[in-house]
């Protein structure tokens, strides 16, 4: 299929999914920058779900959100009262947008209240916490998805198709990463809350893109992870700022079949790029990981697909449809856990002076 035909079939697919019916209710848990700047605007666009509640440490903030979005104040919860969500039929889904270390606490509380859950990325700070989140959702028969918005972005949908159908040959060489210069001290530079530094926050996007280009499916039966990781942490330029997290880290991913990816992430540089090469062609994303329009080139010329006005609205609507249609999400907890297995291997390799670590599910 040509690139243009792929774009057309994608549009048709999106339209076919827009079934009529009652909207589901969602509560945002954590009302910080991402919830305010991206998810709240997305929830004004979603067709299958609407914002009907919040979980917040600030009653006043909750009241303002209730007024802005027209939901009753009874739908304002604190982190300690999430169990009471069980009695609230207005809310079907809880979207966890707290700092990384709190994703397990909030996901597990929502699951035991009988609510479906989207947890932001990274899923948790370690693999055992991912396991606990998945177990709580299984025990309560609720669905769990991870906030990987780019899985639904049309250029990445095309990347996954190219990986599957091998128009450019199988992708054997990948590179890129995501970095920015952090100047404001925040939880992202504290290991206890963030789990690590830029790898947890930004590098995980490159891990995701690499797995898409390598054609790895979401689930994690054996073999669905890279074969091996080597990594090295670079010396810190600002050790006082990045006390217990890495400032910059580089890593190599080796995939089954011999494909290799070289990536980096930093809180003290600028970078936003992903490139995948096969023996018949290449694709290059720069910027690669933004909310808005990505710029994508191929050996055949630019790939300029029509993009939705909100990546997050598409992502959240798909999860709502998974619930309505009782189908599996294409972005399940298993995918978040797989990425955490990879992240742990990257840190383990860096801690052991760049030793090659074989990745085990
Ligand atoms: P933020 O600091 O702006 O907001 C965090 C929120 O959590 C705040 O409202 C804060 O009050 C609340 N909170 C609750 N308990 C807290 C505690 N103990 N310490 C600190 N804050 C606490 O962060 P953010 O940028 O909104 O990120 C939140 C989550 O969303 C992170 O996991 C991040 O990785 C993820 N995120 C995802 C994307 C994406 O594109 N998918 C983009 C940005 C952030």
């Amino acid at each position: 299929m040509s690139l243009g035909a792929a774009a057309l079939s994608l549009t048709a697919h999106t339209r076919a999914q827009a079934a009529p019916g009652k909207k589901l209710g969602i509560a945002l848990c954590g009302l910080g920058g991402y919830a305010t700047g991206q998810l709240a605007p997305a929830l004004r666009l979603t067709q299958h779900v609407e914002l009907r509640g919040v979980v917040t440490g600030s009653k006043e903030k909750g009241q303002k959100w209730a007024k802005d979005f027209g939901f009753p104040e009874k739908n304002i919860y604190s982190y300690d009262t999430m169990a009471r969500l069980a009695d609230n039929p207005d809310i079907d889904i809880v979207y966890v947008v707290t700092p990384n270390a709190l994703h397990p606490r909030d996901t597990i509380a929502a699951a035991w209240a009988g609510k479906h859950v989207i947890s932001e990325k990274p899923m948790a700070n370690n693999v055992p916490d991912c396991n606990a989140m998945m177990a709580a959702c299984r025990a309560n028969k609720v669905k769990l998805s991870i906030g990987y918005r780019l899985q639904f972005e049309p250029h990445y949908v095309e990347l996954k198709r190219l990986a599957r159908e091998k128009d450019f040959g199988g992708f054997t060489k990948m590179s890129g990463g995501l970095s920015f210069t952090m100047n404001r001290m925040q939880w992202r530079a504290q290991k206890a809350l963030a789990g690590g530094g830029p790898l947890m926050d930004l590098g995980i996007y490159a891990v995701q893109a690499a797995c898409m280009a390598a054609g790895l499916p979401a689930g994690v039966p054996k073999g669905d992870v890279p074969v091996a990781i080597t990594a090295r942490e670079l010396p810190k330029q600002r050790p006082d700022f990045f006390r217990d997290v890495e400032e910059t880290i580089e890593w190599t991913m080796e995939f089954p079949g011999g494909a290799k990816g070289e990536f980096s992430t930093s809180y003290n540089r600028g970078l936003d790029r992903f490139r995948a090469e096969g023996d018949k062609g290449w694709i290059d994303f720069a910027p690669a990981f933004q909310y808005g329009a990505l710029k994508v080139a191929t050996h055949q010329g630019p790939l300029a697909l029509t993009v939705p006005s909100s990546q997050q609205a598409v992502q959240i609507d798909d999860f709502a449809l998974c619930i309505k249609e009782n189908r599996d999400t294409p972005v399940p907890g298993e995918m978040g856990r797989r990425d955490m297995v990879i992240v742990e291997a990257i840190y383990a390799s860096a801690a052991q002076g760049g030793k090659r670590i074989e990745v085990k599910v």
Side-chain angles (χ1 to χ4, degrees):
M1 186 161 56
S2 72
L3 295 175
L8 278 176
S9 79
L10 186 79
T11 315
H13 178 64
T14 310
R15 257 191 234 120
Q17 281 186 340
K22 206 169 146 268
K23 284 187 175 181
L24 300 182
I26 195 166
L28 286 174
C29 170
L31 303 179
Y34 191 56
T36 307
Q38 299 299 323
L39 299 179
L43 287 165
R44 295 195 189 276
L45 300 173
T46 42
Q47 295 174 46
H48 301 284
V49 60
E50 63 192 11
L51 185 64
R52 291 204 197 124
V54 290
V55 181
T56 172
S58 159
K59 181 107 203 265
E60 296 71 40
K61 213 192 235 185
Q63 285 167 331
K64 186 173 179 317
W65 280 66
K67 199 158 165 257
D68 286 355
F69 280 85
F71 58 80
E73 289 199 9
K74 74 173 177 63
N75 291 1
I76 304 170
Y77 295 84
S78 72
Y79 302 103
D80 298 333
T81 60
M82 285 178 71
R84 289 195 211 142
L85 278 161
D87 306 321
N88 191 339
D90 293 353
I91 312 292
D92 303 285
I93 304 167
V94 174
Y95 196 139
V96 174
V97 211
T98 43
N100 308 344
L102 306 179
H103 296 172
R105 177 197 72 180
D106 300 332
T107 296
I108 291 167
W112 281 99
K115 306 301 173 183
H116 303 283
V117 190
I118 306 174
S119 165
E120 255 315 318
K121 46 61 54 177
M123 182 170 171
N125 282 1
N126 54 59
V127 173
D129 279 356
C130 296
N131 293 341
M133 292 161 78
M134 288 161 60
C137 290
R138 260 196 314 271
N140 290 286
K141 298 188 171 49
V142 294
K143 293 185 189 294
L144 171 62
S145 186
I146 309 302
Y148 287 134
R149 58 189 163 78
L150 293 175
Q151 289 283 340
F152 301 92
E153 200 281 337
H155 298 87
Y156 280 96
V157 172
E158 176 64 1
L159 176 71
K160 288 187 276 187
R161 188 195 68 75
L162 287 168
R164 213 169 40 242
E165 297 181 15
K166 300 193 171 35
D167 297 13
F168 297 176
F171 292 121
T172 51
K173 201 173 154 206
M174 303 163 212
S175 58
L178 182 60
S179 300
F180 80 94
T181 303
M182 182 186 283
N183 290 317
R184 181 174 63 88
M185 183 42 85
Q186 52 171 307
W187 63 264
R188 281 182 166 80
Q190 296 164 22
K191 190 167 185 186
L193 280 172
L199 178 59
M200 296 292 282
D201 187 28
L202 309 175
I204 199 156
Y205 285 97
V207 168
Q208 270 274 301
C211 290
M212 287 192 240
L216 299 187
V220 284
K222 288 211 177 336
D224 284 356
V225 290
V227 175
I229 298 285
T230 45
R232 119 186 138 103
E233 184 181 341
L234 271 60
K236 293 179 190 182
Q237 310 294 311
R238 295 154 66 204
D240 289 347
F241 200 91
F242 302 105
R243 284 170 195 271
D244 62 357
V245 299
E246 78 280 5
E247 180 184 293
T248 302
I249 193 164
E250 299 176 341
W251 73 98
T252 302
M253 299 166 85
E254 294 172 45
F255 290 96
K260 231 175 170 184
E262 309 267 354
F263 303 102
S264 71
T265 186
S266 174
Y267 275 152
N268 207 25
R269 291 179 183 172
L271 176 68
D272 187 342
R273 181 157 187 208
F274 179 75
R275 183 179 173 89
E277 298 172 37
D279 55 5
K280 291 193 255 170
W282 53 263
I283 185 165
D284 199 313
F285 295 61
F289 304 113
Q290 303 205 345
Y291 304 140
L294 309 179
K295 202 160 164 220
V296 183
T298 74
H299 64 288
Q300 296 170 329
L303 175 62
L305 302 179
T306 306
V307 294
S309 53
S310 162
Q311 294 172 358
Q312 291 83 357
V314 178
Q315 169 216 327
I316 300 169
D317 259 341
D318 186 77
F319 189 59
L321 280 172
C322 287
I323 294 165
K324 284 186 178 181
E325 296 167 359
N326 196 23
R327 63 174 162 87
D328 291 339
T329 165
V331 191
E334 283 80 358
M335 184 186 275
R337 181 188 183 280
R338 174 200 70 191
D339 294 349
M340 200 46 54
V341 169
I342 296 169
V343 162
E344 286 191 349
I346 294 171
Y347 282 133
S349 172
Q352 294 171 64
K355 184 178 164 210
R356 183 173 181 273
I357 305 275
E358 293 200 4
V359 181
K360 294 192 179 67
V361 184

mmCIF file of all heavy atoms in Angstrom, residues 182-207:
data_model
loop_
_atom_site.group_PDB
_atom_site.id
_atom_site.type_symbol
_atom_site.label_atom_id
_atom_site.label_comp_id
_atom_site.label_asym_id
_atom_site.label_seq_id
_atom_site.Cartn_x
_atom_site.Cartn_y
_atom_site.Cartn_z
ATOM 1 N N MET A 182 16.399 21.319 31.375
ATOM 2 C CA MET A 182 15.523 21.580 32.514
ATOM 3 C C MET A 182 16.145 22.642 33.407
ATOM 4 O O MET A 182 17.274 22.484 33.865
ATOM 5 C CB MET A 182 15.307 20.295 33.319
ATOM 6 C CG MET A 182 14.364 20.518 34.486
ATOM 7 S SD MET A 182 14.229 19.075 35.539
ATOM 8 C CE MET A 182 13.165 18.067 34.536
ATOM 9 N N ASN A 183 15.390 23.690 33.640
ATOM 10 C CA ASN A 183 15.910 24.764 34.488
ATOM 11 C C ASN A 183 15.150 24.907 35.797
ATOM 12 O O ASN A 183 15.673 25.444 36.751
ATOM 13 C CB ASN A 183 15.875 26.101 33.730
ATOM 14 C CG ASN A 183 16.914 26.111 32.619
ATOM 15 O OD1 ASN A 183 18.049 25.672 32.827
ATOM 16 N ND2 ASN A 183 16.528 26.551 31.432
ATOM 17 N N ARG A 184 13.893 24.428 35.813
ATOM 18 C CA ARG A 184 13.068 24.595 37.007
ATOM 19 C C ARG A 184 13.134 23.315 37.849
ATOM 20 O O ARG A 184 12.870 22.231 37.346
ATOM 21 C CB ARG A 184 11.615 24.845 36.568
ATOM 22 C CG ARG A 184 10.628 25.068 37.696
ATOM 23 C CD ARG A 184 9.254 25.454 37.141
ATOM 24 N NE ARG A 184 8.634 24.431 36.327
ATOM 25 C CZ ARG A 184 7.854 23.435 36.794
ATOM 26 N NH1 ARG A 184 7.609 23.341 38.082
ATOM 27 N NH2 ARG A 184 7.305 22.557 35.972
ATOM 28 N N MET A 185 13.515 23.451 39.110
ATOM 29 C CA MET A 185 13.583 22.268 39.971
ATOM 30 C C MET A 185 12.168 21.733 40.179
ATOM 31 O O MET A 185 11.241 22.483 40.447
ATOM 32 C CB MET A 185 14.219 22.657 41.318
ATOM 33 C CG MET A 185 14.416 21.489 42.262
ATOM 34 S SD MET A 185 15.043 19.962 41.506
ATOM 35 C CE MET A 185 16.797 20.241 41.510
ATOM 36 N N GLN A 186 11.968 20.453 40.017
ATOM 37 C CA GLN A 186 10.645 19.836 40.144
ATOM 38 C C GLN A 186 10.808 18.347 40.434
ATOM 39 O O GLN A 186 11.927 17.827 40.437
ATOM 40 C CB GLN A 186 9.854 20.047 38.853
ATOM 41 C CG GLN A 186 10.612 19.600 37.607
ATOM 42 C CD GLN A 186 9.762 19.594 36.347
ATOM 43 O OE1 GLN A 186 8.710 18.992 36.332
ATOM 44 N NE2 GLN A 186 10.228 20.276 35.312
ATOM 45 N N TRP A 187 9.687 17.660 40.635
ATOM 46 C CA TRP A 187 9.741 16.234 40.984
ATOM 47 C C TRP A 187 10.457 15.413 39.921
ATOM 48 O O TRP A 187 10.994 14.347 40.218
ATOM 49 C CB TRP A 187 8.329 15.698 41.261
ATOM 50 C CG TRP A 187 7.391 15.756 40.083
ATOM 51 C CD1 TRP A 187 6.475 16.738 39.814
ATOM 52 C CD2 TRP A 187 7.287 14.806 39.013
ATOM 53 N NE1 TRP A 187 5.813 16.455 38.646
ATOM 54 C CE2 TRP A 187 6.288 15.269 38.128
ATOM 55 C CE3 TRP A 187 7.929 13.613 38.702
ATOM 56 C CZ2 TRP A 187 5.928 14.588 36.963
ATOM 57 C CZ3 TRP A 187 7.577 12.928 37.542
ATOM 58 C CH2 TRP A 187 6.576 13.420 36.696
ATOM 59 N N ARG A 188 10.473 15.887 38.668
ATOM 60 C CA ARG A 188 11.113 15.124 37.586
ATOM 61 C C ARG A 188 12.618 14.911 37.817
ATOM 62 O O ARG A 188 13.212 14.037 37.209
ATOM 63 C CB ARG A 188 10.917 15.839 36.245
ATOM 64 C CG ARG A 188 9.551 15.637 35.644
ATOM 65 C CD ARG A 188 9.435 16.338 34.305
ATOM 66 N NE ARG A 188 8.273 15.904 33.566
ATOM 67 C CZ ARG A 188 7.043 16.336 33.772
ATOM 68 N NH1 ARG A 188 6.804 17.236 34.710
ATOM 69 N NH2 ARG A 188 6.033 15.896 33.041
ATOM 70 N N ALA A 189 13.217 15.726 38.664
ATOM 71 C CA ALA A 189 14.644 15.564 38.954
ATOM 72 C C ALA A 189 14.867 14.915 40.325
ATOM 73 O O ALA A 189 15.959 14.994 40.874
ATOM 74 C CB ALA A 189 15.348 16.915 38.879
ATOM 75 N N GLN A 190 13.792 14.305 40.866
ATOM 76 C CA GLN A 190 13.916 13.618 42.160
ATOM 77 C C GLN A 190 13.596 12.140 41.975
ATOM 78 O O GLN A 190 12.481 11.789 41.565
ATOM 79 C CB GLN A 190 12.932 14.216 43.173
ATOM 80 C CG GLN A 190 13.219 15.668 43.512
ATOM 81 C CD GLN A 190 12.025 16.321 44.201
ATOM 82 O OE1 GLN A 190 11.185 15.639 44.765
ATOM 83 N NE2 GLN A 190 11.951 17.635 44.106
ATOM 84 N N LYS A 191 14.565 11.308 42.280
ATOM 85 C CA LYS A 191 14.406 9.878 41.992
ATOM 86 C C LYS A 191 13.174 9.274 42.688
ATOM 87 O O LYS A 191 12.482 8.440 42.100
ATOM 88 C CB LYS A 191 15.674 9.119 42.404
ATOM 89 C CG LYS A 191 15.659 7.709 41.915
ATOM 90 C CD LYS A 191 16.993 7.043 42.035
ATOM 91 C CE LYS A 191 16.868 5.658 41.398
ATOM 92 N NZ LYS A 191 18.053 4.875 41.584
ATOM 93 N N ALA A 192 12.904 9.693 43.918
ATOM 94 C CA ALA A 192 11.799 9.072 44.660
ATOM 95 C C ALA A 192 10.473 9.248 43.923
ATOM 96 O O ALA A 192 9.630 8.349 43.913
ATOM 97 C CB ALA A 192 11.708 9.679 46.056
ATOM 98 N N LEU A 193 10.257 10.378 43.293
ATOM 99 C CA LEU A 193 8.985 10.619 42.603
ATOM 100 C C LEU A 193 9.037 10.272 41.120
ATOM 101 O O LEU A 193 8.041 9.856 40.529
ATOM 102 C CB LEU A 193 8.562 12.089 42.760
ATOM 103 C CG LEU A 193 7.896 12.427 44.091
ATOM 104 C CD1 LEU A 193 7.703 13.921 44.239
ATOM 105 C CD2 LEU A 193 6.543 11.710 44.229
ATOM 106 N N ALA A 194 10.212 10.458 40.503
ATOM 107 C CA ALA A 194 10.304 10.278 39.043
ATOM 108 C C ALA A 194 10.828 8.906 38.662
ATOM 109 O O ALA A 194 10.657 8.476 37.516
ATOM 110 C CB ALA A 194 11.209 11.361 38.446
ATOM 111 N N GLY A 195 11.499 8.222 39.594
ATOM 112 C CA GLY A 195 12.050 6.903 39.294
ATOM 113 C C GLY A 195 13.406 6.963 38.619
ATOM 114 O O GLY A 195 14.133 5.983 38.560
ATOM 115 N N GLY A 196 13.736 8.115 38.065
ATOM 116 C CA GLY A 196 14.992 8.306 37.345
ATOM 117 C C GLY A 196 14.946 9.683 36.719
ATOM 118 O O GLY A 196 14.085 10.495 37.082
ATOM 119 N N GLY A 197 15.804 9.930 35.778
ATOM 120 C CA GLY A 197 15.861 11.243 35.140
ATOM 121 C C GLY A 197 15.181 11.251 33.788
ATOM 122 O O GLY A 197 14.074 10.727 33.637
ATOM 123 N N PRO A 198 15.845 11.818 32.775
ATOM 124 C CA PRO A 198 15.209 11.987 31.465
ATOM 125 C C PRO A 198 14.816 10.676 30.788
ATOM 126 O O PRO A 198 13.896 10.667 29.978
ATOM 127 C CB PRO A 198 16.276 12.728 30.649
ATOM 128 C CG PRO A 198 17.562 12.509 31.378
ATOM 129 C CD PRO A 198 17.192 12.396 32.816
ATOM 130 N N LEU A 199 15.470 9.583 31.148
ATOM 131 C CA LEU A 199 15.089 8.303 30.524
ATOM 132 C C LEU A 199 13.628 7.972 30.840
ATOM 133 O O LEU A 199 12.877 7.540 29.968
ATOM 134 C CB LEU A 199 16.016 7.179 31.016
ATOM 135 C CG LEU A 199 15.696 5.787 30.478
ATOM 136 C CD1 LEU A 199 15.762 5.739 28.947
ATOM 137 C CD2 LEU A 199 16.642 4.746 31.078
ATOM 138 N N MET A 200 13.222 8.181 32.103
ATOM 139 C CA MET A 200 11.847 7.866 32.511
ATOM 140 C C MET A 200 10.843 8.787 31.834
ATOM 141 O O MET A 200 9.737 8.377 31.481
ATOM 142 C CB MET A 200 11.704 8.038 34.030
ATOM 143 C CG MET A 200 12.533 7.104 34.844
ATOM 144 S SD MET A 200 11.991 5.401 34.704
ATOM 145 C CE MET A 200 10.574 5.374 35.783
ATOM 146 N N ASP A 201 11.232 10.035 31.660
ATOM 147 C CA ASP A 201 10.307 11.069 31.202
ATOM 148 C C ASP A 201 10.313 11.198 29.676
ATOM 149 O O ASP A 201 9.258 11.256 29.040
ATOM 150 C CB ASP A 201 10.752 12.390 31.856
ATOM 151 C CG ASP A 201 9.791 13.529 31.612
ATOM 152 O OD1 ASP A 201 8.588 13.267 31.432
ATOM 153 O OD2 ASP A 201 10.248 14.687 31.604
ATOM 154 N N LEU A 202 11.517 11.238 29.090
ATOM 155 C CA LEU A 202 11.682 11.558 27.663
ATOM 156 C C LEU A 202 12.211 10.380 26.856
ATOM 157 O O LEU A 202 11.727 10.098 25.754
ATOM 158 C CB LEU A 202 12.670 12.732 27.514
ATOM 159 C CG LEU A 202 12.398 13.975 28.364
ATOM 160 C CD1 LEU A 202 13.523 14.988 28.182
ATOM 161 C CD2 LEU A 202 11.064 14.596 27.994
ATOM 162 N N GLY A 203 13.218 9.720 27.391
ATOM 163 C CA GLY A 203 13.839 8.615 26.652
ATOM 164 C C GLY A 203 12.844 7.515 26.325
ATOM 165 O O GLY A 203 12.968 6.816 25.314
ATOM 166 N N ILE A 204 11.830 7.399 27.164
ATOM 167 C CA ILE A 204 10.832 6.350 26.963
ATOM 168 C C ILE A 204 10.104 6.521 25.620
ATOM 169 O O ILE A 204 9.643 5.541 25.023
ATOM 170 C CB ILE A 204 9.857 6.318 28.175
ATOM 171 C CG1 ILE A 204 9.122 4.995 28.228
ATOM 172 C CG2 ILE A 204 8.924 7.497 28.190
ATOM 173 C CD1 ILE A 204 8.624 4.614 29.592
ATOM 174 N N TYR A 205 10.055 7.751 25.104
ATOM 175 C CA TYR A 205 9.452 7.962 23.775
ATOM 176 C C TYR A 205 10.291 7.288 22.688
ATOM 177 O O TYR A 205 9.751 6.742 21.725
ATOM 178 C CB TYR A 205 9.338 9.458 23.455
ATOM 179 C CG TYR A 205 8.233 10.165 24.197
ATOM 180 C CD1 TYR A 205 8.485 10.868 25.368
ATOM 181 C CD2 TYR A 205 6.924 10.138 23.732
ATOM 182 C CE1 TYR A 205 7.482 11.528 26.048
ATOM 183 C CE2 TYR A 205 5.902 10.789 24.400
ATOM 184 C CZ TYR A 205 6.180 11.481 25.567
ATOM 185 O OH TYR A 205 5.176 12.122 26.243
ATOM 186 N N ALA A 206 11.606 7.350 22.836
ATOM 187 C CA ALA A 206 12.481 6.709 21.847
ATOM 188 C C ALA A 206 12.374 5.193 21.968
ATOM 189 O O ALA A 206 12.391 4.470 20.960
ATOM 190 C CB ALA A 206 13.925 7.171 22.047
ATOM 191 N N VAL A 207 12.240 4.699 23.202
ATOM 192 C CA VAL A 207 12.037 3.260 23.416
ATOM 193 C C VAL A 207 10.763 2.816 22.690
ATOM 194 O O VAL A 207 10.742 1.811 21.966
ATOM 195 C CB VAL A 207 11.945 2.946 24.933
ATOM 196 C CG1 VAL A 207 11.440 1.537 25.183
ATOM 197 C CG2 VAL A 207 13.295 3.174 25.609
#
